Amino acid sequence: MRNSIGKHKLSAGLFAAVLALSQLTGCGAAAGTDDAAGQSNQEEVASADTSANEAASNGEDGDNVSIEEMVADMDISRTIKLDTSNIQTFNDTDGDGYGEFQGFGTSLCWWANRCGYSEKLTEASAEAFYNKETGLGMTIGRYNVGGGDNVTTEDVTAQMKEESPFLHKEHIRRSDSVVPGYCVDVTKIDLSKNNKDYYESSFTRVDYDCGFAWNYDWDADKNQMNILIAAAKSAGDEFIGEAFSNSPPYFMTVSGCTSGGEDPSVDNLREDSVTAFACYMADVIEHWAKEGVINFQSVDPMNEPATSYWKMWSEKQEGCHFTQGESQSRILVELNKELQNKGIDIIICASDETSIDAAIISYKHLTPEAKEAVTRIDTHSYQGTQREMLRQTAQEAGVNLWMSEVDGTYSIGKKATGMSAALGFSEAIMEDLNGLMPSAWIMWDAVDLHVDTNNKYDTCTRQEADKIIEEGTPFWGIAIADHDKEELLLSKKYYAFGQFSRYIRPGYTLVGSSSTTVAAVNRQEKSAVIVAMNTNSDDLKWEFDLSELGLEFGSVTAIRTSKDENWADVTDDSGIAFEGNKFTSLVKGSSITTFIIK
């Protein structure tokens, strides 16, 4: 049967020209290829376009035809068949073999630390990213438990170093990535000067192995906490909070610097401070739960630990190397013990490696005791190709799988489309969802670019920011924060993300489809979602085969983002037609379309 849509009429002359154009481009151009794939017929396409325009301007009347009829006469350029033999099995809470998707999200580090001082930016961010009615409908926020640092703007003298051995000159040159730690009044334990009673009565935490005592300032990270609280409120009951660490507190490190070690390929957590670090993470998680602020669902004490990125006095951020195997295992086991001592029921994950391939190695090299503690693998997908292998590794281990961080300056197609960054970002999402079939997909810094005339490290001007948004220029993040005007500027990447996050909701199950689509089904609601990306500049007719789902469908709604559209309902402009368990639709060139099937 045909989808119930309005009939848009075209003149016979215009229809003939459009049909000629579709026959030139619809058969030869394969969707999912680079924009250049359709350029060989550029002259013919231009000619057909001219004919169409002339026909329209000449006012050829003739018999009118509907868009439905026009699309019906186009050749099908691609058939996508949903494959239920290839489904997401992670997070199968009811044991029916179908995993339940948990949602999309973002790390709060570093943007929440940067934006959370402003009530306007906090509320705008919570609505734009976490409101499922008006925004992206994210359900996951990854909270960074900072390690802090002991820095000064002055040159450090020998006397200053003697009085404060970890003191060093400030070095981070980003306005957003100086994330505060909670530890204050950090004092070296000296039992020749004071007895144990003194330290234990004067400090919240005393660790004799580590050799330090400290108190906590729970207001230290209020900016990031403001965003976390607002995000959780906006997402409601679906919100999932994860706590993770870039580095242990500075006084627990070998270098005394939370940006990393003198040798970035060597562990920077001191061997005598493993328990101290585990206690720190557990204390933070416990505090915010007791305050009624957030019950973190999961925790990972490491971030890209097997890399050699993290070097002391870095200009970028905190970081800490943990060697694969015994080193990573030790902190996971110790953290598990401290959480159990506190009676905290929480998922422990590992190891947030920057590479999919490294994630496989890191998990396989964990000790049996560490594997017993870990119930989810978190991976980043900046590098590596072995998605299927990581998926199998997690399945064989009986643990959940998240893609917990990625972003970049993705680009597909011509700049003139205004969609190059959006299409590139969508391709990255599709590759991860189809290859890993994870139960969650989380991007890195949602706001990675800032306009602020009062901050020397923010060099982007509002004029430059507006140009990025207008032209769809590739950049890290999906939004830009203007601190001068306390505004959030939303990009095409943002709207591309929403084509996934607004419609593939918690409880859906990812289903195999194709390299240019992502599909998900909700068997309880008897509905399905297909996100389709056409990277060609030509409008094409695609066929979608739902026969394997075993469900009866009656209608399709089409939502699209393109150069001139953001989440536009284009159901009436897509020529959607059902025939049995299949339907066909026009898929606009350089666009992302989400089909909601019920």
Side-chain angles (χ1 to χ4, degrees), residues 552-574:
E552 293 186 5
F553 300 106
S555 68
V556 176
T557 300
I559 307 296
R560 186 168 69 208
T561 291
S562 65
K563 180 179 181 179
D564 302 315
E565 300 164 314
N566 296 322
W567 304 339
D569 188 333
V570 294
T571 308
D572 291 351
D573 300 315
S574 299

Side-chain angles (χ1 to χ4, degrees), residues 88 90-94 96 98-103 139 238 240 439 503-510 520-525 527:
Q88 167 209 332
F90 299 115
N91 194 47
D92 179 9
T93 62
D94 56 11
D96 66 352
Y98 282 69
E100 290 100 48
F101 196 67
Q102 295 175 278
T139 58
E238 292 179 324
I240 296 172
S439 66
Y503 307 105
I504 301 176
R505 300 300 301 168
Y508 275 72
T509 302
L510 298 174
V521 62
N522 188 318
R523 298 205 306 160
Q524 290 185 343
E525 296 181 358
S527 62

Side-chain angles (χ1 to χ4, degrees), residues 53-72:
N53 290 333
E54 288 177 352
S57 63
N58 291 336
E60 299 178 15
D61 295 322
D63 296 330
N64 289 345
V65 294
S66 70
I67 287 181
E68 266 190 312
E69 292 167 326
M70 182 200 79
V71 175

Side-chain angles (χ1 to χ4, degrees), residues 189-321:
I189 298 171
D190 188 344
L191 293 177
S192 68
K193 293 182 179 179
N194 299 291
N195 58 30
K196 289 185 176 183
D197 289 341
Y198 164 76
Y199 291 108
E200 291 168 10
S201 63
S202 302
F203 298 94
T204 304
R205 268 287 171 191
V206 182
D207 193 293
Y208 297 105
D209 291 331
C210 172
F212 287 88
W214 63 92
N215 290 312
Y216 289 117
D217 175 7
W218 296 115
D219 291 327
D221 196 24
K222 60 184 179 180
N223 287 357
Q224 191 180 185
M225 287 304 305
N226 286 341
I227 296 283
L228 177 65
I229 292 166
K233 180 180 178 182
S234 189
D237 293 340
E238 292 179 324
F239 186 77
I240 296 172
E242 176 169 66
F244 78 99
S245 167
N246 281 325
S247 172
Y250 65 92
F251 60 92
M252 300 179 192
T253 67
V254 175
S255 66
C257 175
T258 56
S259 286
E262 183 176 0
D263 182 345
S265 65
V266 175
D267 289 2
N268 200 36
L269 174 62
R270 294 203 315 271
E271 290 189 7
D272 63 12
S273 298
V274 174
T275 299
F277 177 38
C279 288
Y280 174 62
M281 292 294 293
D283 286 348
V284 173
I285 291 166
E286 179 185 52
H287 172 79
W288 292 119
K290 284 185 174 180
E291 290 293 311
V293 172
I294 183 77
N295 286 300
F296 288 106
Q297 186 201 72
S298 58
V299 58
D300 191 337
M302 296 172 287
N303 176 67
E304 300 180 349
T307 64
S308 298
Y309 298 156
W310 314 122
K311 186 174 178 60
M312 64 190 298
W313 306 339
S314 164
E315 295 187 350
K316 290 186 64 178
Q317 68 169 103
E318 296 176 350
C320 186
H321 182 90

Side-chain angles (χ1 to χ4, degrees), residues 80-82 430 499-500 503-504 508 511-514 516-521 527-533 542-546 549 556-559 583 592-597:
I80 291 96
K81 183 173 184 178
L82 273 58
M430 288 181 172
Q499 294 287 150
F500 299 84
Y503 307 105
I504 301 176
Y508 275 72
V511 177
S513 55
S514 76
T516 56
T517 57
V518 164
V521 62
S527 62
V529 171
I530 301 173
V531 185
M533 176 181 67
W542 289 6
E543 179 182 60
F544 301 91
D545 185 343
L546 314 175
L549 297 184
V556 176
T557 300
I559 307 296
F583 75 92
I592 305 133
T593 306
T594 303
F595 298 99
I596 302 100
I597 306 141

